[in-house]
Amino acid sequence: MRSTERHRCPTEKETICGEDFQISRWRLSIGGDVQMSRAFLVRVILLAWPLVFGLVGSCGRFPGILAVEPEEVPVATVDAAPVPEPIAVPPTRTDAAPDLMMMTPMPPAPVPGPTCMPVDEACNGVDDDCDGAVDEGQSAIPCPDGGFRYCVDGRFSECPRRCDLCVPGSERVCFIPYCTYWGVQTCAADGRSFGFCREQRAPRECDVAVKNNMRSRELEQCCVDKGYCCLDEFDLDNDGDRRESIGSCDGVSCGL
Amino acid sequence: MRALTAVAATLFAILSANRVGADCDEPEIESTIPLQYESTLATVPPNATLSARYSASAVYEGEPIVLKPDGMPPLTLMGTFDAVEGLLKVLPPEGLSPGRIYRVTWPGLRGMTGPRGKNTVVDFNVSATPDASAPVFSGIAALDWDWTRKTDPCTDELLDRYTFLLTPGGATDDGGVDALAVLVFQTSGPGIAAPRLVHIAAMPRVGKTVKVPLGSMQGVGTLCFSALVRDSQMRTSNANTQPVCVATTEAPYFVGCGYGPRSPKSTALIWTGLVLVGLSRVRRRWV
């Protein structure tokens, strides 16, 4: 009579792919007068392989490669019965039976990377000189108006500006849609924005533009032509920026 | 009677002309290296370059920097000023004496369009180890943000600002961390094509933050920041630090037709005018 028994060994903790897994090792015991051949064991292992994959086969880059260490099993008669499914092995046990599978993760095979060809380190976010450090030793580049450009996150920073948007307290001309069509806005104390556009009377030299065109491209052109620093509301320079200043903006814009 | 009215009108005109705050464009000293601490003195290496950072429109006209060693007569030094960074630097010609306490007085500078700011005094100690190598910095450890809204002295209007609170990670330097400056770069966000230096401040002590203010147009959206540290010899830490990002939303303020709450200054001005007019009428009745 064939009597086999599968019993669950105490749960063991193993490390696979850097993580701890609770792995239960199943021991197939062959008891009584039944013995299994090596061929039978190999078939069982092959059939169990997908299950093993399911357990530990999702370890990132290394699909579940497990070393199956065949145990020495006494050679016996070849059983003509159909190969049983590993999970469906009828439970019979013998304490002396060997472990069927030892799941031991194999160390990942070393993946040969591209050979590092050392060149001078540059500010590009890459380890050019193959020393393990990225963008190290990049000197700051002096800017013509003062300040420096620094290597940051693989790029050199732009030359710093004296202020974000405008010189604190400075004024530029703006255009409003009513009454005088002309106004002035003052730069904030931190240079990061202009205040509201406050209505003023347009200068005499732009009276004609005001009367004929009101708040218009022509009025902005007059503002520029007469030497004011003006909000480029009508994009006279066709750069798509309608919030910039245009005209005589020394002392208003943030360049030196 | 006419004379009294004229005086009232003149006073009103003068006050009106100064309606934009008197402290508009008065350059502040935003940061000094080393900083003045309340509890303990900062310590710098004997070869340190001392520096102070002024707000945007400061103009340096050769104002003296006074360096006074403890128990010795003061030294009057000339600094070098980088207007773009707003940085006034001074290198004591004989260096600093290890173990001695110094007091440096940074001068208030005049603004391009405004009055002179106030002096700032900093006391510090000097270590025995000179600064010889570049600092090491782990980058920004944490990032948060907030809105602020306050009356601007130049425009006399309520202005919104985004304030980003950066917590620097660990930094080390052979000259000590009190002589380090943090350089904050905005690496992405509205209008950012290349990393932009947005703030320079003294390296805060552990657990403290660096406040980086940005305008309402520059501060909305997804913004990323990266930081370097710079030692007293102007050497910077390694450039390979990871940027830290945060997403902001627009401030929930409604700007309606310019009829916002009046600032105290405007209110005082109006009351002053009314009182003067009232006084003149009372005077007329008596006469």
Side-chain angles (χ1 to χ4, degrees):
Chain A
M1 175 182 175
R2 171 184 299 182
S3 65
T4 59
E5 182 183 19
R6 191 185 60 171
H7 76 98
R8 189 170 184 172
C9 295
T11 302
E12 294 183 13
K13 190 175 182 181
E14 297 197 12
T15 300
I16 299 175
C17 304
E19 296 193 24
D20 291 337
F21 287 84
Q22 297 292 333
I23 298 176
S24 300
R25 292 197 286 173
W26 293 90
R27 175 178 293 174
L28 180 64
S29 301
I30 307 166
D33 56 349
V34 177
Q35 290 183 313
M36 299 177 72
S37 69
R38 182 184 294 269
F40 171 76
L41 288 174
V42 169
R43 292 172 72 181
V44 169
I45 292 167
L46 288 174
L47 285 170
W49 185 252
L51 297 174
V52 176
F53 256 97
L55 179 62
V56 294
S58 58
C59 294
R61 294 162 297 183
F62 304 104
I65 301 171
L66 300 176
V68 178
E69 299 174 359
E71 297 291 325
E72 283 298 325
V73 177
V75 177
T77 58
V78 177
D79 197 336
V83 177
E85 291 293 328
I87 300 301
V89 175
T92 307
R93 63 159 297 176
T94 300
D95 288 340
D99 283 346
L100 181 62
M101 289 189 292
M102 296 288 290
M103 294 190 296
T104 306
M106 283 181 65
V111 179
T115 305
C116 189
M117 301 291 290
V119 294
D120 289 344
E121 192 71 31
C123 179
N124 53 10
V126 175
D127 176 19
D128 301 291
D129 57 1
C130 310
D131 67 347
V134 174
D135 292 354
E136 81 281 8
Q138 298 297 305
S139 299
I141 301 172
C143 293
D145 293 331
F148 295 88
R149 300 174 63 204
Y150 296 93
C151 182
V152 182
D153 297 337
R155 294 178 292 170
F156 272 104
S157 62
E158 59 188 30
C159 279
R161 293 183 299 178
R162 184 166 194 155
C163 46
D164 282 354
L165 184 65
C166 50
V167 175
S170 62
E171 292 181 336
R172 73 176 176 186
V173 173
C174 48
F175 308 97
I176 53 178
Y178 45 85
C179 298
T180 66
Y181 309 108
W182 185 280
V184 170
Q185 53 187 167
T186 306
C187 181
D190 61 5
R192 293 190 170 96
S193 69
F194 282 98
F196 296 131
C197 188
R198 297 177 185 273
E199 186 180 24
Q200 282 191 359
R201 185 179 176 82
R204 189 168 293 172
E205 56 261 41
C206 289
D207 273 350
V208 174
V210 168
K211 285 177 183 170
N212 294 343
N213 307 101
M214 296 183 285
R215 178 170 173 257
S216 63
R217 187 180 183 90
E218 287 74 17
L219 184 57
E220 183 184 324
Q221 187 65 58
C222 180
C223 175
V224 172
D225 292 344
K226 299 305 177 188
Y228 294 94
C229 181
C230 317
L231 170 65
D232 189 20
E233 187 175 338
F234 297 95
D235 196 17
L236 292 187
D237 56 1
N238 295 312
D239 66 350
D241 186 354
R242 294 170 183 268
R243 292 175 166 180
E244 66 180 344
S245 299
I246 191 172
S248 303
C249 294
D250 290 346
V252 178
S253 296
C254 286
L256 270 182
Chain B
M1 176 57 216
R2 282 186 182 174
L4 184 60
T5 307
V7 169
T10 305
L11 280 172
F12 188 76
I14 291 170
L15 288 168
S16 299
N18 289 332
R19 188 176 55 81
V20 172
D23 52 350
C24 169
D25 193 25
E26 178 182 303
E28 293 177 7
I29 297 179
E30 297 180 343
S31 182
T32 61
I33 298 175
L35 279 172
Q36 175 69 56
Y37 294 112
E38 291 179 4
S39 53
T40 57
L41 292 184
T43 302
V44 303
N47 59 343
T49 297
L50 311 173
S51 60
R53 185 167 194 249
Y54 292 76
S55 53
S57 68
V59 177
Y60 183 58
E61 296 173 319
E63 289 88 342
I65 302 159
V66 180
L67 181 67
K68 186 181 182 314
D70 189 29
M72 297 180 70
L75 305 167
T76 300
L77 306 171
M78 293 294 291
T80 56
F81 188 63
D82 185 330
V84 168
E85 289 193 356
L87 204 65
L88 180 60
K89 295 181 288 190
V90 65
L91 178 63
E94 305 295 328
L96 299 165
S97 300
R100 188 178 290 277
I101 293 174
Y102 285 81
R103 167 169 288 185
V104 61
T105 303
W106 296 104
L109 300 186
R110 185 178 62 77
M112 290 179 74
T113 60
R116 188 176 298 281
K118 298 175 183 64
N119 292 354
T120 295
V121 175
V122 178
D123 296 326
F124 61 93
N125 207 342
V126 181
S127 68
T129 310
D131 189 354
S133 59
V136 177
F137 180 50
S138 62
I140 298 170
L143 173 62
D144 201 356
W145 66 280
D146 199 1
W147 289 301
T148 57
R149 172 172 248 217
K150 61 181 181 180
T151 302
D152 183 82
C154 289
T155 64
D156 201 22
E157 298 162 5
L158 285 169
L159 293 184
D160 302 335
R161 291 290 178 266
Y162 287 84
T163 302
F164 295 87
L165 306 169
L166 284 73
T167 306
T172 56
D173 187 43
D174 55 351
V177 293
D178 287 344
L180 294 180
V182 184
L183 280 60
V184 180
F185 297 86
Q186 187 181 348
T187 57
S188 74
I192 297 293
R196 178 179 295 170
L197 180 63
V198 291
H199 198 65
I200 302 175
M203 181 75 177
R205 292 203 161 164
V206 176
K208 302 288 185 182
T209 58
V210 175
K211 292 182 180 178
V212 179
L214 288 182
S216 53
M217 285 193 298
Q218 298 97 328
V220 67
T222 300
L223 288 82
C224 297
F225 296 91
S226 193
L228 304 175
V229 295
R230 187 170 67 186
D231 68 11
S232 66
Q233 306 300 304
M234 297 295 151
R235 288 179 293 248
T236 54
S237 58
N238 193 4
N240 186 35
T241 59
Q242 290 296 315
V244 180
C245 301
V246 68
T248 66
T249 54
E250 288 191 49
Y253 302 127
F254 172 67
V255 180
C257 309
Y259 288 105
R262 294 184 188 280
S263 69
K265 198 170 293 174
S266 299
T267 309
L269 180 69
I270 290 168
W271 278 109
T272 305
L274 289 174
V275 167
L276 288 173
V277 170
L279 282 175
S280 68
R281 286 179 181 264
V282 169
R283 172 73 175 160
R284 186 189 302 171
R285 282 184 187 170
W286 285 351
V287 170

